[in-house]
Amino acid sequence: MSHMQTPFDARLRAAAATIEQRLEALLDDTARPGEIARPERLMAAMRHAALAGGKRLRPFLALEATRLLGGPDEAGLRAGLAVELVHCYSLVHDDLPAMDDDDMRRGKPTVHKAFDDATAILVGDALLTLAFEVATQEGADASPAIRAALVAGLARASGLAGMVGGQMLDLAAEGRYGPRTLSEAEIRRLQAMKTGALLAFAAEAGAIAAGASAEDRARLLAYGRALGAAFQIADDILDREATAEALGKAVGKDAERGKGTLVDTLGMEAARAECDRLVAEAQAALAPFGERAGVLVEAARFTVARKA
Amino acid sequence: MSHMQTPFDARLRAAAATIEQRLEALLDDTARPGEIARPERLMAAMRHAALAGGKRLRPFLALEATRLLGGPDEAGLRAGLAVELVHCYSLVHDDLPAMDDDDMRRGKPTVHKAFDDATAILVGDALLTLAFEVATQEGADASPAIRAALVAGLARASGLAGMVGGQMLDLAAEGRYGPRTLSEAEIRRLQAMKTGALLAFAAEAGAIAAGASAEDRARLLAYGRALGAAFQIADDILDREATAEALGKAVGKDAERGKGTLVDTLGMEAARAECDRLVAEAQAALAPFGERAGVLVEAARFTVARKA
């Protein structure tokens, strides 16, 4: 690494390492008590999908939100792990030939390239299902009411009116189902569903896991929504400017498919300004917490400044 | 209808009609408070998948188990609805070209034929996610502890060591990933995962929803496991003997693919005898409830006597 590692980087990396360990432990081949069997091929493909590294931004947000609100790390990690499993499943299904048809992800072959389409479909299904199992696992760290609230929120953020619905709108925006040009409002709505909902929920999940008040939960949700919107614009800027090598996947594919982004609609300069405005909005949502919210504020800045 | 309708038939149909209404209400186009939007195409395809009729055996088992254990109908219906949504999603993904490649289901085009592969993948994802949302919906009928237990059980039955894992083993049994001949024990294990786990959980879910004791919950699970095993053997017998018209889907495909079934391994006569033995086992599990368990005992008999 040629660049300096800041305390924030170190904290982000430490959380990512912990999440990686948890995922490894969760996805081994040994059947748990009450399980009939864990098919080897399925487990290997699930590990390929989930242990591919990445920044683990979503569980980091959950963990730091739990810490901010005085909850136990274990509860935040559990919530973050559930959110990360949903994120991992969505990448596997989105990469399928019938969907975005991507061969590479984080510098490795995608699951359907390394295994096959059928296995990739099942890997996604199994990761999604496992997310809900993790969210309801019994433990001293979260009451049944907290676990039920996590499941309800995760399902809402991920489902037909959240991430999955956003992916449906995204396919339509490619013109698959008839000509389509999106207005700025439609692009924002699509992005709020496709990537925003789960990022926003990651922060809210940390608050739920900490047993936070409805007011504090709403603050973390508002923070997460602003961060999620900024994340997607930053992603669109990266897709336009970065190299395939830096991203570990193909670039410029969105433009090629004719998908509208806010970079097209607003122009590059205004898109960058919008990112900055959203980071300020995220910061403002956490103002009541004062300096204790510093890590999450840095996370919002990191989201728009990242290079991959 | 040329045959007499028994009181059991009437009860099964009444439950199916209620479940159909609930699914319709759940899958309309109107965004709920807190939802951003419900994409029209996704909702239409979800309705195509979930409102295709069928016997609704799984929610019936859940509802009757709740009734047997003195719980409110509403709690049993909610649990049954969640299980049915998982069942519906699994059919959509199993029918995909990359998986079993089926064009017809219950006399209608499958989702990927009526829409397209991408939409069918998303429909499955959204139905699975919705199952967990339904299982945790707040209401006066179930405590947070019950809702969390339903989610945990549903995830276990449906995931990597349950239904999804069973589908992985089933694809391997076709010889896709190298030559493969299954022993009787391997066939039983595959079937216990692929179809047995969710049917067994349907009965257990009704017990959980009723707030039953661990002992009663175990009884319903044992009943459901025997019923689930009988169901699959009956299915294999039907696949060998029925006409495509009666089933509303292609027949003889399992044999064509070289998948082993217990009908092959044991022979037709012994397979029928095994069905009867399993029905007796299901009945024995409910013996402590005496005559009150009559409906569920009939449900086990119905499972092996059905013609479609």
Side-chain angles (χ1 to χ4, degrees), chain A residues 11-32:
Chain A
R11 203 167 166 115
L12 181 60
R13 274 161 208 254
T18 304
I19 288 293
E20 194 84 12
Q21 281 162 10
R22 293 297 182 101
L23 286 169
E24 268 174 45
L26 202 57
L27 296 172
D28 67 32
D29 281 350
T30 312
R32 307 293 189 267

Side-chain angles (χ1 to χ4, degrees), chain A residues 180-258:
Chain A
R180 198 88 188 87
T181 311
L182 299 191
S183 67
E184 184 188 325
E186 286 174 320
I187 294 172
R188 286 187 193 264
R189 191 181 68 168
L190 185 164
Q191 295 184 343
M193 291 169 70
K194 189 183 171 182
T195 49
L198 193 62
L199 276 162
F201 180 70
E204 192 189 7
I208 295 171
S213 67
E215 208 171 18
D216 281 347
R217 195 174 145 173
R219 285 176 179 136
L220 270 293
L221 178 61
Y223 159 84
R225 279 189 180 146
L227 177 146
F231 179 96
Q232 186 57 52
I233 300 174
D235 218 49
D236 293 335
I237 294 172
L238 271 175
D239 186 67
R240 201 63 58 86
E241 300 197 330
T243 63
E245 195 185 358
L247 284 188
K249 61 180 182 182
V251 295
K253 287 192 75 163
D254 292 347
E256 194 182 291
R257 286 189 184 117

Side-chain angles (χ1 to χ4, degrees), chain A residues 26-282:
Chain A
L26 202 57
L27 296 172
D28 67 32
D29 281 350
T30 312
R32 307 293 189 267
E35 289 184 354
I36 302 175
R38 297 188 157 209
E40 268 176 46
R41 180 183 177 84
L42 180 65
M43 300 315 301
M46 287 176 79
R47 287 191 294 268
H48 183 97
L51 304 180
K55 295 172 294 294
R56 310 293 188 193
L57 178 61
R58 291 159 192 78
F60 180 71
L61 294 174
L63 176 61
E64 291 296 342
T66 298
R67 286 174 172 167
L68 174 64
L69 294 163
D73 272 17
E74 183 57 31
L77 278 171
R78 187 93 60 92
L81 195 53
V83 173
E84 186 68 8
L85 285 164
V86 169
H87 175 59
C88 290
Y89 117 75
S90 75
L91 300 180
V92 176
H93 280 188
D94 283 2
D95 286 338
L96 282 166
M99 306 269 275
D100 293 347
D101 195 14
D102 279 311
D103 293 351
M104 297 292 282
R105 161 83 57 194
R106 292 176 188 144
K108 292 199 314 181
T110 47
V111 178
H112 67 274
K113 294 302 278 184
F115 293 83
D116 66 337
D117 289 10
T119 303
I121 294 168
L122 293 177
V123 161
D125 295 346
L127 289 171
L128 173 56
T129 308
L130 186 60
F132 292 107
E133 191 179 335
V134 167
T136 49
Q137 243 157 22
E138 287 183 41
D141 55 296
S143 69
I146 285 178
R147 290 185 274 133
L150 280 174
V151 170
L154 184 58
R156 275 269 171 132
S158 315
L160 61 95
M163 191 183 68
V164 174
Q167 178 67 7
M168 183 85 258
L169 294 177
D170 206 33
L171 294 176
E174 286 178 13
R176 288 189 189 212
Y177 311 120
R180 198 88 188 87
T181 311
L182 299 191
S183 67
E184 184 188 325
E186 286 174 320
I187 294 172
R188 286 187 193 264
R189 191 181 68 168
L190 185 164
Q191 295 184 343
M193 291 169 70
K194 189 183 171 182
T195 49
L198 193 62
L199 276 162
F201 180 70
E204 192 189 7
I208 295 171
S213 67
E215 208 171 18
D216 281 347
R217 195 174 145 173
R219 285 176 179 136
L220 270 293
L221 178 61
Y223 159 84
R225 279 189 180 146
L227 177 146
F231 179 96
Q232 186 57 52
I233 300 174
D235 218 49
D236 293 335
I237 294 172
L238 271 175
D239 186 67
R240 201 63 58 86
E241 300 197 330
T243 63
E245 195 185 358
L247 284 188
K249 61 180 182 182
V251 295
K253 287 192 75 163
D254 292 347
E256 194 182 291
R257 286 189 184 117
K259 282 186 193 178
T261 71
L262 288 183
V263 179
D264 301 311
T265 312
L266 305 174
M268 184 61 85
E269 200 178 337
R272 288 194 202 282
E274 177 64 2
C275 266
D276 293 341
R277 189 190 69 73
L278 286 163
V279 170
E281 191 176 310

Side-chain angles (χ1 to χ4, degrees), chain A residues 294-308:
Chain A
V295 179
L296 286 173
V297 171
E298 269 202 83
R301 283 194 206 108
F302 165 81
T303 291
V304 301
R306 71 205 155 86
K307 297 278 174 274

